[in-house]
Amino acid sequence: MRSLNLTLWKNFCFLALFIILIVGLICYIIVRTSISSFTQDKVRTVGVSVSKMLEQNRGNTLQAYLIADEYIEREAFENNVNIAVLTTDGDIVVPVEQRLSDSEREFWQDVHNGIIDRVSDFDGNRLLYATGNIYTYVELTPFAATTSVPNYLVVRYSLDVANSTLVNTQRYMLIIGIFVILLAFLIAYSLSKRISDPLKSLTVTANKMAKGDYDVQFASAEYEEIAQLSDALNYACAEIKKTDGFQKELLANVSHDLKTPLTMIKAYASMIKEISGDNPEKRDKHLQVIIEESDRLAELVNDVLNMSKISSDINQINKKVFNLTEFLYGIMQKFEYLHDMQGYVFDLDIDPDLYTCADEGKIGQVLYNLISNAVNYTGEDKKVFVSLKYVKDENRIRFTVRDTGKGIAKEDLPSIWNRYYRVKEIHARPVKGTGLGLPIVKTILEKHSFDFGADSEVGKGSVFWVDFPEVPPELPGQEQPVKQLPSGEN
Ligand code: ADP
């Protein structure tokens, strides 16, 4: 796997190198072409100027020679060029004989030979050619018209000086280039380090978290994206910590809740065997305890199983239209034994013949869990108020279940829908439960997109409510679109 640090650094350096090479190449090409065209212009301009002077100064007098000689010497000096007037046979007319060394004479002889080789290349009376670094301009001029054959006016310029300047410039550019590349290396290194270091630190912290340390804090970073990642990880860590806490609590709760009925069952079974076996009255009492404790165990196991079933998506919602009124009466029947045997009072206020469209089995579980909670947590008067009312204007049916218990503190209200959550104070009472009843309710109602919620006041009791869509009864069996209701407190 490639390292982000190294990749960033390498790419940045390659980019810097590429830019410098391109800029260098472009500069070199531009300088070379402009030097070449500048030189051609230069020899041509000097040639034309000298040629004009010679035309004005025609004649075979010593004076004319001296003027031409002086002019040519000055032009040659000022423009850093070699200038001469040669006869077509190669004799030097200007500069005058006395000013020339042997090597200069040889030089002009070579130039003359070069011109002779290119006689056919003349463009009218002009010729411009380059040999290596030297540009030569030749013009046929009638200076010193002693013969009818015109002379060659020759202007030569060597690029050697310009080339050495170019080489020097290139050398400087190379040094600057190396310096810039080194700088780019350093900038790239520090930049890639600034990006990858916080990521490395996040990885180290994430590894700690993976080993079970949920107190870690993911450090924030300079760059927005990494800071967002760090925030998301901190959030995930906090959530995992919460769930982990809930799970540990559940394990403690479940093991405690399993242990108590099991101990009771064992104790009462032993009592029946050893003491009350022959006493029908006592035996029945003891058997009743065993039955109740077994029910409690079964309920506990059911809750855990239901939660895991509902959490997995295998459990699809199968909606159909059904009579919610009758359905609720059916559920209330299950609680009749509590009325008969334990004196619970169920106050019912149920509108007749209300139809809804939902998954009947799952809604049964919702209603059962909510009513069970009201039974479990209601006050000493053992009263539970159940109502099912049609809200005409909004075309919905509101189910509410109210108890007279201790209620739920405001700060606990949002958490009761979380898995394994049990309000601490209430849990201190020997109330059965796993903290899974309400999460099951929440999962089912969210899958239906039904609104639901809870209101409570400490000391006065709690109200749990669910809104069902109302559908016409004449379409039983047909699936109805579910009306989305304004969200409630949940
Ligand atoms: P449990 O099995 O513990 O009842 P639930 O998920 O049904 O689990 O409820 C979660 C917690 O919400 C309960 O432990 C209790 O603290 C609180 N709770 C639920 N219903 C009521 C109620 N009607 N009155 C007071 N507290 C309630």
Side-chain angles (χ1 to χ4, degrees):
M1 209 173 296
R2 288 186 302 165
S3 132
L4 176 70
N5 197 348
L6 195 70
T7 313
L8 274 175
W9 183 68
K10 250 181 4 194
N11 286 350
F12 198 85
C13 291
F14 273 133
L15 185 70
L17 201 69
F18 179 73
I19 291 173
I20 284 170
L21 282 179
I22 289 287
V23 170
L25 197 70
I26 290 173
C27 284
Y28 180 76
I29 291 170
I30 290 175
V31 170
R32 263 251 105 105
T33 25
S34 55
I35 283 183
S36 159
S37 69
F38 163 79
T39 311
Q40 290 181 31
D41 281 353
K42 182 173 177 153
V43 287
R44 198 178 289 119
T45 319
V46 173
V48 169
S49 132
V50 174
S51 153
K52 257 190 199 150
M53 184 278 298
L54 290 179
E55 253 207 274
Q56 287 160 7
N57 192 35
R58 218 190 277 204
N60 197 11
T61 61
L62 182 59
Q63 172 108 20
Y65 275 106
L66 288 177
I67 291 171
D69 187 49
E70 196 185 322
Y71 187 85
I72 282 173
E73 190 184 8
R74 200 176 57 241
E75 281 291 298
F77 177 76
E78 278 174 7
N79 292 297
N80 200 19
V81 291
N82 302 112
I83 308 174
V85 179
L86 309 175
T87 65
T88 44
D89 294 332
D91 295 332
I92 302 164
V93 182
V94 185
V96 290
E97 198 77 32
Q98 299 85 324
R99 281 211 294 119
L100 293 172
S101 64
D102 286 347
S103 60
E104 280 172 320
R105 259 185 229 108
E106 254 172 60
F107 168 81
W108 287 117
Q109 195 56 56
D110 286 347
V111 173
H112 178 261
N113 292 340
I115 297 168
I116 296 300
D117 291 345
R118 291 175 181 79
V119 167
S120 56
D121 295 342
F122 264 90
D123 177 13
N125 64 343
R126 285 168 187 190
L127 170 69
L128 180 67
Y129 67 91
T131 41
N133 279 335
I134 299 166
Y135 284 79
T136 308
Y137 174 79
V138 187
E139 190 173 322
L140 284 167
T141 169
F143 176 68
T146 46
T147 64
S148 56
V149 184
N151 300 129
Y152 294 134
L153 162 65
V154 188
V155 180
R156 299 198 103 212
Y157 179 74
S158 168
L159 274 183
D160 283 347
V161 180
N163 272 348
S164 71
T165 316
L166 187 66
V167 168
N168 269 343
T169 314
Q170 280 170 345
R171 205 169 289 150
Y172 286 128
M173 275 183 64
L174 193 73
I175 292 169
I176 292 170
I178 290 172
F179 178 73
V180 169
I181 286 174
L182 281 178
L183 200 70
F185 272 29
L186 286 178
I187 293 173
Y189 180 71
S190 89
L191 194 73
S192 57
K193 230 173 118 55
R194 267 159 75 181
I195 293 175
S196 66
D197 276 3
L199 288 176
K200 275 186 201 159
S201 134
L202 290 185
T203 312
V204 171
T205 318
N207 280 336
K208 276 190 201 158
M209 187 178 92
K211 283 179 187 146
D213 179 359
Y214 300 123
D215 291 323
V216 289
Q217 183 68 29
F218 289 90
S220 192
E222 190 183 341
Y223 300 103
E224 198 186 334
E225 289 80 357
I226 302 177
Q228 279 170 354
L229 174 65
S230 151
D231 287 348
L233 285 169
N234 275 328
Y235 177 70
C237 181
E239 288 300 303
I240 293 173
K241 189 178 172 185
K242 245 196 254 170
T243 313
D244 189 57
F246 287 150
Q247 274 178 347
K248 281 183 184 145
E249 209 176 304
L250 169 84
L251 210 65
N253 291 349
V254 170
S255 12
H256 173 263
D257 291 345
L258 282 174
K259 221 171 117 191
T260 317
L262 279 175
T263 318
M264 299 270 276
I265 290 169
K266 193 180 167 197
Y268 277 84
S270 306
M271 269 161 69
I272 294 169
K273 189 179 169 198
E274 283 160 22
I275 306 167
S276 59
D278 297 334
N279 182 336
E281 205 181 309
K282 270 191 178 173
R283 191 187 56 207
D284 283 354
K285 236 177 161 180
H286 293 167
L287 279 174
Q288 185 57 37
V289 175
I290 292 178
I291 290 167
E292 276 171 19
E293 291 305 315
S294 310
D295 283 348
R296 203 169 144 181
L297 272 182
E299 207 177 312
L300 199 75
V301 173
N302 262 346
D303 266 3
V304 175
L305 283 179
N306 275 340
M307 188 66 227
S308 62
K309 252 205 256 164
I310 286 170
S311 295
S312 62
D313 271 333
I314 311 161
N315 258 1
Q316 288 300 314
I317 299 289
N318 296 314
K319 285 187 192 171
K320 65 170 191 164
V321 176
F322 63 94
N323 187 327
L324 189 57
T325 305
E326 274 173 23
F327 188 65
L328 181 57
Y329 277 124
I331 286 175
M332 290 317 300
Q333 267 175 14
K334 291 189 189 170
F335 290 93
E336 239 164 42
Y337 77 98
L338 286 172
H339 170 70
D340 299 344
M341 297 173 77
Q342 294 178 24
Y344 280 89
V345 180
F346 293 96
D347 185 303
L348 306 184
D349 181 7
I350 300 173
D351 281 356
D353 283 336
L354 295 174
Y355 283 81
T356 193
C357 177
D359 186 315
E360 205 174 357
K362 295 206 170 60
I363 292 302
Q365 199 162 5
V366 167
L367 301 180
Y368 185 82
N369 283 3
L370 292 178
I371 299 167
S372 292
N373 275 355
V375 169
N376 284 339
Y377 299 106
T378 196
E380 297 300 320
D381 59 3
K382 294 191 171 179
K383 278 188 178 166
V384 172
F385 300 83
V386 176
S387 79
L388 191 71
K389 291 281 176 194
Y390 177 48
V391 186
K392 201 176 170 200
D393 295 342
E394 294 172 35
N395 220 30
R396 62 190 162 90
I397 307 163
R398 173 159 286 207
F399 163 84
T400 54
V401 53
R402 180 166 72 83
D403 62 65
T404 58
K406 281 190 175 180
I408 306 161
K410 238 192 170 77
E411 63 270 20
D412 287 325
L413 258 183
S415 310
I416 55 171
W417 305 97
N418 291 340
R419 275 188 209 190
Y420 319 130
Y421 187 85
R422 303 180 76 190
V423 176
K424 293 229 163 49
E425 198 198 332
I426 293 176
H427 181 54
R429 277 173 54 194
V431 175
K432 53 186 175 176
T434 50
L436 288 175
L438 291 182
I440 291 173
V441 169
K442 182 183 171 200
T443 312
I444 293 174
L445 293 177
E446 277 178 351
K447 279 192 179 177
H448 278 82
S449 307
F450 290 174
D451 274 0
F452 60 96
D455 306 306
S456 187
E457 210 177 311
V458 176
K460 289 199 174 164
S462 317
V463 181
F464 284 78
W465 57 268
V466 181
D467 280 341
F468 295 93
E470 202 267 345
V471 300
E474 53 272 9
L475 298 168
Q478 189 174 323
E479 190 152 314
Q480 295 290 307
V482 178
K483 194 180 146 218
Q484 193 69 43
L485 296 163
S487 67
E489 189 187 332
N490 51 35

